[in-house]
Amino acid sequence: MLEGLGITHAFGVSGGAIAPVWATLQHHSSIEVFHFRHEVGAVFAAIESYFASDRPAVVFTTAGPGITNALTGLFAARWEGAKVIFLSPATSTAQRGRWAFQETSTYTMPGEIFSTSKSLFHYATTIESGDELPKIARRLAAGLARPGGFVVHLSISTAIQSSFIDISLPQGAAVQTLVSATPQAIAECVQLLSEEPFAIWVGFGARGAAAEIRQLAERTGAAVMCSPRGKGIFPENHPQFVGVTGFGGHSSVLAYMQQHCPLRVLVLGTRLGELTSFWNPELVPKRGFLHVDIDPEVPGVAYPSVETVSIQSDVGVFVRQLLEHFLNRHERSTAAVTLPRPQSKAIYPNTGSLVRPEMLMDAIQRVIVEGSDAVVMTEAGNSFAWGTHTLRFDKPGRYRVSTGFGSMGHATTGVLGAALARQGKAVALVGDGSMLMNNEVSTAVRYQIPAVWIVLNDARYNMCAQVMPSLGFEGMDTEIPQTDFVMLARGMGADGTRVETESDVQAALERALASPVPFVVDVVIDPSSRAPVGTRTQSLIQQDATESIVTPSKSGWSGWEI
């Protein structure tokens, strides 16, 4: 059934309760099985495998703690919009309620884990008989064919895992139907967008429509901004690109909104959540948003009091429909209009000092972003801020970050899934805290996965160290004992190099890209360099993080770069 659904990769951790399924996956199927060291790492790898290949992935675990260990990753899969099928064992009927070892049933776990749960699984069921498989196969095919994410839990009773069945499964994949706006809705959008120059706000949900969005922008002269997850969908070196919004974003976006005052903003495939917008009122245009999303519940949620025209549609279909109405219009020249642009400064290596994060990012831009086709991932924390703010991409699919669930350990383990699915290098920019919390270097060594970890090693949870004083909390314990990640990597069979001076950065990155084995670049970072977190601190204050701090006025939103 899984092969028929197009599954090619399975990630997980073994155990006695799942042994028959695991053995069959490994020895009697065409599916490649990767045995991880922790369940949550397996799920993060499955998520990134999906986004790198557009193929759903399987995750398998054993009973009890195997399931609970995977839950963080499964919530991330749901929030990220991935397609993941989770396989786990269920205690057999005769043993339920009798304190079986690692009992997995509604006697010991919340019932939502085993049945459809709106907040976690799109579909969940416990398989008690092989006769249920045709029904389940149809349900999975339909779910995997629909736009957006689809997270499934199949809990398989241990009593039937080794049984053989003689049953016909449905043949052929379900046909994907793309949701499109009505002609009346398209006509209304064309009229509204024709009134005055407008801007386009691009999110991750628009990644399949990059070419069409560029055509629309160039044909109409619209300025384009993007969410952190939307980097590269519209080329960041394009003269109409005004910057990234939100966490790690650019002050040039606010400069554009203040100086050019677009009448409306066309929002394509982003929820406009906190790390995309900070709910900043200065990002609201005079006449509000035209918000396009496949999920009809998304438009209007982030800015509930702002005028919003809601359009339920696949983004690519919508933009193509829109372009038909602009075909006969001459492309607007942008030569006479100078738009604000993200600023980049020339950075030269210092001697005899710790490595500045901005200098490291400048080298990563030259060596990895421009010098290779590797996927680049950034971990939750300062790595996310530095990567989003400083790196520039001109193609979709080369930058990945989690702005929703934002779990530490997502990139340190997800990098394996991206490298496997692309069959090439994938690079994770991570903090020392995340690397110590959860990594799969050993798994990469086992399967010779070409993953690279670049560790911003500042011996502390530096985002907390930098942000907490701004919130009024001094003297918080954020230090981490200095760790030599190269020694750890080599102890697990990988290779690596430690960088302590800026003059050694470029050679270390080049060595990492050329390495035939998994590679760790351990960079001793200057902890005093302030990460460009945008107005994250002000956003926390706005949410009344503490009653002792006065909420800033609207003008307080202007400090987008720290």
Side-chain angles (χ1 to χ4, degrees):
M1 180 182 74
L2 296 173
E3 288 172 336
L5 293 170
I7 304 295
T8 59
H9 292 86
F11 307 86
V13 180
S14 62
I18 197 69
V21 172
W22 175 39
T24 306
L25 279 172
Q26 184 158 330
H27 299 302
H28 303 285
S29 81
S30 62
I31 298 171
E32 289 189 84
V33 177
F34 300 92
H35 196 199
F36 271 57
R37 308 297 171 255
H38 195 279
E39 291 85 355
V40 74
V43 186
F44 288 142
I47 292 170
E48 296 309 319
S49 170
Y50 166 72
F51 285 124
S53 67
D54 204 31
R55 285 180 171 270
V58 157
V59 174
F60 61 91
T61 73
T62 192
I67 296 172
T68 57
N69 283 348
L71 288 179
T72 295
L74 292 167
F75 273 109
R78 178 68 184 252
W79 284 45
E80 290 289 306
K83 288 186 167 120
V84 172
I85 298 174
F86 176 44
L87 307 179
S88 74
T91 301
S92 298
T93 305
Q95 281 75 46
R96 291 175 192 166
R98 298 174 58 193
W99 297 104
F101 177 64
Q102 295 182 339
E103 180 170 336
T104 301
S105 70
T106 53
Y107 285 92
T108 57
M109 291 186 173
E112 301 85 54
I113 290 178
F114 306 101
S115 60
T116 301
S117 170
K118 185 176 180 181
S119 61
L120 178 52
F121 299 114
H122 295 91
Y123 172 57
T125 189
T126 299
I127 306 175
E128 306 282 9
S129 166
D131 294 333
E132 299 175 81
L133 287 183
K135 175 187 69 175
I136 292 170
R138 291 189 182 90
R139 186 75 177 267
L140 295 187
L144 293 173
R146 74 184 191 185
F150 189 60
V151 183
V152 176
H153 183 197
L154 302 182
S155 179
I156 311 168
S157 173
T158 53
I160 70 159
Q161 286 188 40
S162 298
S163 62
F164 291 88
I165 59 171
D166 183 11
I167 197 169
S168 297
L169 292 172
Q171 300 297 312
V175 178
Q176 181 173 351
T177 302
L178 297 178
V179 178
S180 60
T182 65
Q184 293 81 4
I186 294 295
E188 179 185 1
C189 291
V190 170
Q191 179 182 351
L192 295 175
L193 295 177
S194 299
E195 292 177 1
E196 282 191 26
F198 64 94
I200 302 173
W201 198 341
V202 178
F204 188 63
R207 63 192 182 278
E212 293 90 342
I213 293 170
R214 180 168 182 169
Q215 288 180 46
L216 179 64
E218 292 177 344
R219 196 164 291 169
T220 61
V224 181
M225 50 193 172
C226 76
S227 70
R229 289 208 305 166
K231 284 172 67 70
I233 295 173
F234 189 83
E236 294 187 73
N237 58 4
H238 196 285
Q240 288 172 245
F241 182 72
V242 297
V244 181
T245 63
F247 191 86
H250 302 120
S251 59
S252 51
V253 177
L254 285 183
Y256 164 76
M257 295 298 293
Q258 293 163 357
Q259 296 169 15
H260 294 265
C261 303
L263 187 67
R264 292 183 174 88
V265 170
L266 175 62
V267 181
L268 301 175
T270 170
R271 295 178 180 271
L272 301 182
E274 182 182 3
L275 292 199
T276 292
S277 69
F278 292 128
W279 309 304
N280 187 345
E282 294 190 29
L283 290 174
V284 177
K286 290 181 285 188
R287 293 297 303 276
F289 301 116
L290 275 70
H291 197 152
V292 183
D293 203 280
I294 196 69
D295 185 345
E297 297 183 4
V298 167
V301 172
Y303 288 92
S305 61
V306 173
E307 179 181 350
T308 300
V309 177
S310 173
I311 305 104
Q312 183 187 12
S313 176
D314 172 84
V315 172
V317 171
F318 173 83
V319 178
R320 286 191 290 272
Q321 290 175 304
L322 210 58
L323 280 169
E324 293 177 3
H325 292 265
F326 288 100
L327 277 176
N328 298 323
R329 304 187 181 204
H330 294 293
E331 296 188 10
R332 295 182 186 176
S333 173
T334 58
V337 179
T338 302
L339 296 174
R341 301 268 297 133
Q343 298 300 310
S344 58
K345 302 175 183 178
I347 301 175
Y348 303 99
N350 288 335
T351 58
S353 64
L354 298 176
V355 178
R356 294 165 294 164
E358 53 268 45
M359 188 274 161
L360 173 63
M361 295 300 151
D362 182 68
I364 290 171
Q365 176 71 36
R366 289 182 284 101
V367 175
I368 295 175
V369 177
E370 298 171 10
S372 78
D373 64 350
V375 168
V376 178
M377 306 175 63
T378 54
E379 188 70 87
N382 279 359
S383 304
F384 169 9
W386 285 115
T388 299
H389 186 79
T390 60
L391 301 181
R392 304 285 188 269
F393 297 87
D394 59 6
K395 294 179 182 177
R398 289 201 59 200
Y399 184 70
R400 280 285 300 138
V401 66
S402 172
T403 58
F405 209 64
S407 174
M408 292 176 66
H410 188 132
T412 58
T413 58
V415 65
L416 274 66
L420 282 168
R422 296 183 74 255
Q423 297 182 343
K425 290 281 183 180
V427 178
L429 312 184
V430 304
D432 49 342
S434 291
M435 197 67 175
L436 287 168
M437 181 180 291
N438 191 18
N439 71 74
E440 293 284 346
V441 173
S442 173
T443 306
V445 170
R446 167 68 181 86
Y447 300 104
Q448 288 300 286
I449 300 170
V452 174
W453 294 263
I454 300 175
V455 185
L456 279 66
N457 190 348
D458 48 24
R460 67 202 64 206
Y461 292 108
N462 206 8
M463 174 167 285
C464 297
Q466 293 180 357
V467 170
M468 294 304 284
S470 302
L471 295 175
F473 303 108
E474 300 286 349
M476 307 301 291
D477 181 11
T478 59
E479 293 187 9
I480 301 172
Q482 183 66 246
T483 303
D484 189 330
F485 289 99
V486 176
M487 289 186 66
L488 289 177
R490 288 176 177 164
M492 290 186 279
D495 197 3
T497 186
R498 189 172 176 89
V499 178
E500 297 179 334
T501 62
E502 293 187 346
S503 58
D504 294 332
V505 169
Q506 180 166 329
L509 298 179
E510 291 171 348
R511 184 179 168 195
L513 282 182
S515 175
V517 298
F519 200 92
V520 173
V521 182
D522 184 7
V523 187
V524 182
I525 290 292
D526 181 357
S528 66
S529 294
R530 300 285 294 181
V533 298
T535 50
R536 169 62 172 163
T537 304
Q538 292 165 325
S539 179
L540 289 171
I541 294 172
Q542 286 279 65
Q543 298 170 58
D544 292 327
T546 171
E547 294 180 0
S548 64
I549 298 176
V550 178
T551 301
S553 65
K554 183 177 179 181
S555 62
W557 288 100
S558 61
W560 255 34
E561 296 172 325
I562 294 181

